[in-house]
Amino acid sequence: DVQLVQSGAEVKKAGESLKISCKASGYTLGTNTFARYWIGWVRQMPGKGLEWMGVIYPGDSETRYSPSFQGQVTISVLKSISTAYLQWSSLKVSDTAMYFCVRVGLNRKSSYFDYWGHGTLVTVSS
Amino acid sequence: QSVLTQPPSASGTPGQRVSISCSGSPSNIGSNVLNWYQQLPGAAPKLVIYNNNQRPSGVPDRFSGSKSGTSGSLAISGLQSEDEADYYCAAWDDSLDEVLFGGGTKLTVL
């Protein structure tokens, strides 16, 4: 079965850095398989809706960001361990949210997210 | 404010049919497929309709989707208490070069 397993909840202070992870399994036999599917990140602030943050292609690490998140976060991937990352260099209180990783599919210009991670709750205090 | 517009709430009694709309523009729904996600309380979202009207394996045939022009809808027939959740539409936007989600519709089963 395809699974996206995310790292655990984080409690941080404003100004600190953070890197959360999303490890894929079930379709990663041979790194080429993992590399074929784009991986994305979706934010959900407390009590709010879903927001698309950006995607990465594990095959060549090509990355695209939503304008709303460009420069605010960095998406990366380590193909050898089938893991994608989302990181902040300086957290803000407004970064408090649940973050989901998603498997996007073969085309980055897609809203088709067939598998979701369970989410990583990030809480940032002042 | 979301570029894809959904009603904030919908409701129905068990057994009824409910429909949730999603309105967009030519650059998103008008030129790309519409997908729908169900988010149960405390859980990650789950794909329930893709490519406008296709159901993933395991999704009951009570769920159906449609699209016409710059709008689409999700319909749930034979409503059950387990359908109580938030529902989101999503589409790629060619002008903004990003995925847009609707604001979400909270479905209550009375």
Side-chain angles (χ1 to χ4, degrees):
Chain A
D1 284 1
V2 174
Q3 282 194 312
L4 300 176
V5 178
Q6 297 185 230
S7 49
E10 300 275 1
V11 179
K12 293 289 202 178
K13 290 194 176 299
E16 292 184 331
S17 62
L18 176 64
K19 189 173 189 177
I20 62 175
S21 65
C22 169
K23 182 171 177 60
S25 64
Y27 72 104
T28 59
L29 286 178
T31 53
N32 283 342
T33 309
F34 172 69
R36 289 177 58 208
Y37 291 87
W38 292 78
I39 295 285
W41 289 91
V42 174
R43 183 176 79 173
Q44 186 169 37
M45 298 178 77
K48 301 299 184 182
L50 306 174
E51 300 173 273
W52 183 83
M53 301 177 72
V55 290
I56 190 163
Y57 186 66
D60 61 6
S61 296
E62 179 185 351
T63 310
R64 298 297 179 103
Y65 297 92
S66 161
S68 299
F69 292 93
Q70 179 81 47
Q72 308 304 308
V73 296
T74 301
I75 297 173
S76 60
V77 67
L78 194 51
K79 191 169 61 174
S80 61
I81 57 171
S82 305
T83 300
Y85 303 92
L86 179 66
Q87 69 181 88
W88 296 259
S89 58
S90 180
L91 285 160
K92 305 180 182 67
V93 173
S94 57
D95 291 320
T96 295
M98 182 72 83
Y99 294 88
F100 297 100
C101 64
V102 295
R103 193 178 80 163
V104 178
L106 305 180
N107 180 356
R108 74 165 182 91
K109 296 187 179 186
S110 172
S111 63
Y112 175 84
F113 308 144
D114 57 354
Y115 291 96
W116 292 65
H118 52 81
T120 295
L121 180 62
V122 174
T123 304
V124 185
S125 65
S126 55
Chain B
Q1 188 165 354
S2 302
V3 179
L4 300 186
T5 302
Q6 297 180 234
S9 64
S11 63
T13 57
Q16 270 191 329
R17 182 181 187 274
V18 297
S19 183
I20 298 171
S21 62
C22 178
S23 177
S25 69
S27 63
N28 42 68
I29 298 177
S31 49
N32 294 288
V33 299
L34 189 59
N35 299 308
W36 289 89
Y37 297 90
Q38 174 195 62
Q39 187 175 29
L40 296 170
K46 169 190 164 186
L47 181 69
V48 291
I49 293 289
Y50 68 98
N51 285 2
N52 306 323
N53 56 19
Q54 302 299 303
R55 276 179 292 104
S57 173
V59 173
D61 59 7
R62 303 184 294 103
F63 289 81
S64 62
S66 64
K67 190 187 92 166
S68 178
T70 59
S71 295
S73 65
L74 171 71
I76 309 171
S77 60
L79 200 61
Q80 299 182 5
S81 58
E82 67 210 49
D83 300 330
E84 189 161 284
D86 293 324
Y87 291 86
Y88 295 91
C89 60
W92 180 262
D93 190 289
D94 291 331
S95 296
L96 298 175
D97 199 37
E98 63 176 323
V99 171
L100 299 179
F101 285 100
T105 298
K106 184 175 184 60
L107 175 63
T108 302
V109 181
L110 302 169

